[in-house]
Amino acid sequence: MYSSNLGLAIAIAIALGLAAVLAFIGSLLLSNLKAGARAREMAAEAKREAQQKMRASRVQDLRPLVVSLQNFRIVGSFSDQSIRFDIRVPEDVVPVFGIEAELEELFSKVARYAAHVMSPGATLQVSARVESGQAVVHWRDLDAANASPALARFLDATQAAVHASARMCERIASRHGGRLYAAPDAGGALGLTLRLPLPGHGKPAAT
């Protein structure tokens, strides 16, 4: 009798263990199915977003966006200083294929950051040009006291608002096939450089 009860108890324990294992396997399968469905949904959403952006994209001349900074007014929570602008653009078109609103957002965020970190009354030089199949825009603090001014540290900023702006600018540059990085220009102090491909030239090469 005792042996019979013991055998039954062991059988029940084994059955419960198997049930637990099967339940665990089932939950993993269900989780994987949900994760797969979510991944497919996110991929489809990303594809739709990319298609929408492509439809919204067109050939843009960067010169008017750069020139418009002359009338830039600081609006926002982390900047209340006043700076001057030295705008330099060529006579010929500086074309890129992209979304004007996003490029304008990138320019305005960099300008806001410059106004935040540069000395009041200092001059921010913004130049645009075509170089080696790329559209190049460079921001430079003409009154910088050292070779590595705060303007060039935009992408390394840790302040929450500035950090978010920097990441957004990087994403916009990347979505347009380009990149934003700290670099000197024409022998001056370290500044910020944006490189975007000219229409039909693909992604800018590293420099």
Side-chain angles (χ1 to χ4, degrees), residues 130-151:
V130 172
E131 178 184 278
S132 302
Q134 302 169 17
V136 181
V137 179
H138 185 75
W139 292 263
R140 174 183 171 189
D141 182 355
L142 292 182
D143 299 287
N146 58 67
S148 182
L151 173 64

Side-chain angles (χ1 to χ4, degrees), residues 16-203:
L16 290 175
L18 287 173
V21 170
L22 290 173
F24 178 69
I25 293 174
S27 66
L28 285 179
L29 289 173
L30 183 60
S31 296
N32 288 337
L33 288 173
K34 288 182 178 178
R38 178 59 179 162
R40 288 191 294 273
E41 181 182 334
M42 291 177 65
E45 180 62 29
K47 183 178 180 180
R48 286 193 296 271
E49 183 178 345
Q51 290 173 339
Q52 290 173 354
K53 288 185 179 297
M54 182 59 69
R55 287 193 292 269
S57 298
R58 61 182 180 84
V59 175
Q60 311 283 336
D61 182 1
L62 289 183
R63 293 178 304 166
L65 292 177
V66 173
V67 171
S68 69
L69 291 173
Q70 291 177 330
N71 301 317
F72 186 78
R73 294 292 179 269
I74 304 303
V75 178
S77 59
F78 66 85
S79 182
D80 57 3
Q81 298 183 9
S82 176
I83 59 174
R84 297 185 177 90
F85 289 89
D86 175 22
I87 304 298
R88 301 191 178 188
V89 295
E91 293 183 2
D92 296 329
V93 172
V94 183
V96 298
F97 184 75
I99 302 174
E100 182 177 4
E102 289 196 354
L103 295 172
E104 185 177 12
E105 181 180 7
L106 188 157
F107 285 11
S108 66
K109 286 184 182 300
V110 174
R112 287 183 62 211
Y113 174 73
H116 176 58
V117 298
M118 290 171 56
S119 300
T123 300
L124 175 65
Q125 183 184 89
V126 189
S127 60
R129 65 181 185 273
V130 172
E131 178 184 278
S132 302
Q134 302 169 17
V136 181
V137 179
H138 185 75
W139 292 263
R140 174 183 171 189
D141 182 355
L142 292 182
D143 299 287
N146 58 67
S148 182
L151 173 64
R153 297 193 292 273
F154 178 45
L155 301 178
D156 300 322
T158 56
Q159 184 182 347
V162 182
H163 180 79
S165 290
R167 299 292 79 78
M168 176 57 71
C169 289
E170 285 184 312
R171 287 194 291 272
I172 291 173
S174 179
R175 283 200 294 265
H176 285 77
R179 62 195 185 99
L180 178 68
Y181 59 100
D185 190 68
L190 202 64
L192 289 172
T193 294
L194 171 68
R195 288 181 178 270
L196 300 171
L198 297 179
H201 281 70
K203 189 173 183 178

